[in-house]
Amino acid sequence: MAGTILEPGQIEAAASTPPFTLLPPRNLFALRAERFDKLAADHALGDYLRLLAGVCRAQQQVLDNPPQLAPLDERRTRECLTHDLPPLATDTLVREGHWLPMLDAWLDAFEAPANNPSVTAALDQLRQADAGQRTAWAIALLSGQYDSLPAALVPFLGASLQLAWSHWLLQLDLTELKEREDQTLCPCCGAPAMAGVIRHLGKVNGLRYLVCSVCALEWHYVRLKCSHCRSTKKLDYLHLEGSPHGVKAEVCPQCNSYLKQLYLELDAAGECLSADLATLDLDLLLAEQGHLRQAPNLLLAPGGGE
Ligand SMILES: [Zn+2]
Ligand SMILES: [Zn+2]
């Protein structure tokens, strides 16, 4: 804003305008790991959640000490921002393959649990796959074609994709990103949201942000509106009685899909990715009622569970 002098009233207005996007903190994966460890205690899926804590710890380790990746194309980034296109479009970048060193780095960092042969087999399969095969699986995962890759690979491949995209995201200057209404896909990478979060306290108090399933950017999206078909008709909010995780599913009768929402007011230390995977019982219930989950969580193969 060089050269712009704001009058006092404008300063107040600028200060109270909620930001369109919120970047994840640099320790996002460490926070997720911590949450998974906490959630694992007294949880029916404790071993599964502890495994995911390890997945996230390895992500953080690599994010803190990333391998050398080809630099982002600055000109393309600028042009995308100017033309309202996602600068880190997954469909383009996944094919270019610059994320692949992240997979090797993550595989090196991850401490596989002893006595879990199916995890060991999945990690071996990823290690042995060549770049072409890894890319084909990644394209399948990012486009939701879960039949085109082995379910056991999903959390590990997904972890390295999240890692690459968050690494890139944290290098970008998004001040030029303009707020658009009805933004159902991530304005930075074009991926669908994993969940919504109802923020608590500060100037974002009570606002809903959608959380990107790939790069972890959060962007503002009005409440009481389906994030899939944009309908505002009679959305329903379902949660399991006694569920301690601050999560409700926003169910849309128009398109029959739902998106989980984390209410920070109910769980101030909550985090979307771990809260989502700690409440798979809610997904089972919604599936039984015939509702569709559209939101991907890259650490989860739909139907695979664990
Ligand atoms: Zn994104
Ligand atoms: Zn809908």
Side-chain angles (χ1 to χ4, degrees):
M1 286 292 178
T4 310
I5 297 170
L6 293 176
E7 299 296 326
Q10 291 174 296
I11 294 170
E12 279 150 30
S16 64
T17 305
F20 172 42
T21 59
L22 302 172
L23 284 175
R26 291 210 78 87
N27 62 343
L28 80 155
F29 298 120
L31 291 174
R32 286 176 179 174
E34 232 171 79
R35 285 298 291 174
F36 272 127
D37 276 332
K38 278 214 182 74
L39 292 164
D42 308 322
H43 197 290
L45 299 177
D47 286 344
Y48 168 62
L49 299 178
R50 266 184 289 275
L51 172 72
L52 296 176
V55 167
C56 296
R57 261 194 300 278
Q59 284 178 302
Q60 187 66 48
Q61 206 176 312
V62 180
L63 187 73
D64 292 341
N65 291 292
Q68 194 76 40
L69 300 191
L72 285 171
D73 182 338
E74 279 182 32
R75 204 185 122 158
R76 180 165 70 186
T77 303
R78 258 199 324 276
E79 302 233 308
C80 284
L81 287 171
T82 312
H83 294 101
D84 279 352
L85 295 168
L88 299 178
T90 52
D91 45 2
T92 316
L93 266 68
V94 71
R95 288 178 170 78
E96 290 174 0
H98 299 312
W99 61 276
L100 286 162
M102 282 298 197
L103 174 55
D104 287 310
W106 183 87
L107 286 166
D108 285 345
F110 180 59
E111 283 180 42
N115 63 42
N116 192 330
S118 56
V119 169
T120 309
L123 295 171
D124 283 346
Q125 196 177 2
L126 273 174
R127 277 197 190 94
Q128 285 157 18
D130 63 17
Q133 176 65 76
R134 290 169 166 194
T135 304
W137 284 333
I139 292 170
L141 176 54
L142 290 171
S143 54
Q145 316 257 310
Y146 290 96
D147 293 344
S148 305
L149 84 159
L153 305 187
V154 167
F156 313 121
L157 186 62
S160 54
L161 292 167
Q162 289 179 338
L163 190 45
W165 263 265
S166 291
H167 168 75
W168 284 324
L169 170 67
L170 290 169
Q171 296 172 24
L172 288 188
D173 175 5
L174 293 179
T175 45
E176 279 181 55
L177 207 60
K178 291 181 272 308
E179 172 143 17
R180 273 158 289 165
E181 225 183 304
D182 285 351
Q183 179 83 34
T184 57
L185 298 176
C186 174
C188 190
C189 77
M194 167 180 70
V197 56
I198 312 298
R199 293 254 148 222
H200 187 44
L201 304 178
K203 67 176 169 181
V204 290
N205 187 34
L207 297 181
R208 187 246 297 263
Y209 284 79
L210 298 181
V211 184
C212 178
S213 54
V214 179
C215 74
L217 181 75
E218 293 181 14
W219 70 98
H220 178 238
Y221 190 86
V222 293
R223 288 173 73 170
L224 310 176
K225 182 177 228 178
C226 174
S227 57
H228 185 65
C229 76
R230 303 179 178 122
S231 167
T232 51
K233 273 189 217 128
K234 292 194 190 121
L235 296 177
D236 211 355
Y237 293 84
L238 302 177
H239 69 282
L240 290 172
E241 207 57 55
S243 172
H245 309 300
V247 171
K248 294 179 191 174
E250 184 176 71
V251 185
C252 172
Q254 191 77 24
C255 69
N256 202 27
S257 66
Y258 69 91
L259 185 76
K260 283 188 192 163
Q261 314 288 321
L262 172 67
Y263 290 75
L264 292 182
E265 186 186 13
L266 301 177
D267 186 355
E271 182 281 322
C272 277
L273 183 132
S274 49
D276 179 20
L277 298 181
T279 54
L280 295 177
D281 44 358
L282 183 55
D283 294 275
L284 286 178
L285 183 76
L286 290 161
E288 276 168 24
Q289 296 178 357
H291 300 298
L292 305 170
R293 176 172 173 137
Q294 306 283 358
N297 182 320
L298 292 198
L299 303 191
L300 175 74
E306 41 184 317

